[in-house]
Amino acid sequence: DGGITQSPKYLFRKEGQNVTLSCEQNLNHDAMYWYRQDPGQGLRLIYYSQIVNDFQKGDIAEGYSVSREKKESFPLTVTSAQKNPTAFYLCASSIRDRGGNEQFFGPGTRLTVL
Amino acid sequence: AQSVTQLDSQVPVFEEAPVELRCNYSSSVSVYLFWYVQYPNQGLQLLLKYLSGSTLVKGINGFEAEFNKSQTSFHLRKPSVHISDTAEYFCAVRLSGGSYIPTFGRGTSLIVHP
């Protein structure tokens, strides 16, 4: 079955440590996205990538980094520079065109920084 | 730039009652509109979308939405809700022919009581 996987589902880290969240898709989508979700704030875009080896900052990129070395994979690193990293992180993908194509979401990773 | 307002952060309702979740958007050009559902600790999944044509759109799980261009609204409705409909609902908008990056509302929490 085609879809998006994120791992791990739950992640605990100590303050000051970098941590990398995994996102893999087998939908053959060019575009991939990372969102952060906090209670009552909806989804905020961190980074997105339109094609391999290319990515752009979203609305809240500070303290995060990404790479897109393969079409299927778009890992997100939460660095120690992110002031409040505890949140639910969602990865998504979509066809990259100007039509009415929806996004497909992974199950999310809940990051807790102790 | 487009924006989305979900007027109610929380909507409590009794089982088998009808429900309407409100969504208004602002855009000076044509848009695509989406409703997503998120069950606790999961990713988002598409309920329905409006691209063009008939203003009444039917989706999964008995939900439907009506596009009203003059009122710039895309309200989601269900005639009879079930306990299992308890979830977070997000409205999203994309510019037709523009950026494929959607803008999400802050979400409405639907709470169905027995």
Side-chain angles (χ1 to χ4, degrees):
Chain A
D1 288 337
I4 301 180
T5 57
Q6 291 185 243
S7 61
K9 188 164 180 65
Y10 298 96
L11 190 55
F12 297 89
R13 280 296 181 267
K14 292 183 180 179
E15 197 171 327
Q17 288 182 331
N18 291 357
V19 61
T20 297
L21 282 59
S22 169
C23 176
E24 304 276 334
Q25 55 100 357
N26 61 3
L27 298 168
N28 200 34
H29 288 165
D30 283 314
M32 296 187 75
Y33 316 75
W34 274 106
Y35 291 94
R36 170 178 172 143
Q37 187 176 20
D38 297 281
Q41 296 201 44
L43 276 66
R44 292 186 289 170
L45 184 64
I46 305 172
Y47 269 98
Y48 64 99
S49 168
Q50 304 179 66
I51 201 165
V52 174
N53 293 323
D54 183 62
F55 47 83
Q56 288 79 40
K57 293 181 179 179
D59 302 318
I60 57 164
E62 185 176 350
Y64 300 97
S65 66
V66 293
S67 64
R68 186 87 187 274
E69 297 177 2
K70 298 187 300 182
K71 187 175 185 177
E72 303 79 20
S73 179
F74 191 41
L76 172 74
T77 297
V78 184
T79 75
S80 57
Q82 169 51 233
K83 294 179 183 178
N84 185 19
T86 294
F88 191 53
Y89 291 88
L90 288 162
C91 179
S93 72
S94 74
I95 295 172
R96 182 178 67 92
D97 66 13
R98 294 186 173 183
N101 296 293
E102 67 271 23
Q103 291 178 311
F104 291 78
F105 285 82
T109 292
R110 187 167 298 281
L111 173 63
T112 302
V113 175
L114 306 171
Chain B
Q2 69 271 28
S3 66
V4 180
T5 302
Q6 291 185 243
L7 297 163
D8 305 297
S9 60
Q10 204 171 82
V11 173
V13 65
F14 286 107
E15 194 173 19
E16 298 183 7
V19 71
E20 178 180 84
L21 306 183
R22 297 180 291 170
C23 173
N24 286 86
Y25 68 93
S26 65
S27 173
S28 58
V29 298
S30 295
V31 295
Y32 300 126
L33 293 156
F34 307 82
W35 274 101
Y36 291 86
V37 61
Q38 182 182 34
Y39 299 104
N41 293 312
Q42 295 185 27
L44 281 67
Q45 65 182 87
L46 183 72
L47 269 179
L48 48 80
K49 62 183 179 182
Y50 171 79
L51 304 183
S52 65
S54 173
T55 57
L56 184 63
V57 180
K58 293 191 183 296
I60 62 171
N61 300 341
F63 283 93
E64 62 182 31
E66 186 159 18
F67 170 60
N68 188 318
K69 187 175 182 179
S70 63
Q71 296 188 7
T72 60
S73 68
F74 190 54
H75 300 334
L76 181 70
R77 301 186 183 103
K78 187 170 182 178
S80 176
V81 294
H82 302 287
I83 295 287
S84 59
D85 292 321
T86 295
E88 193 84 13
Y89 292 79
F90 291 94
C91 181
V93 62
R94 273 185 49 194
L95 297 181
S96 169
S99 168
Y100 58 89
I101 308 296
T103 298
F104 284 86
R106 292 194 166 198
T108 296
S109 178
L110 175 63
I111 303 169
V112 181
H113 297 286

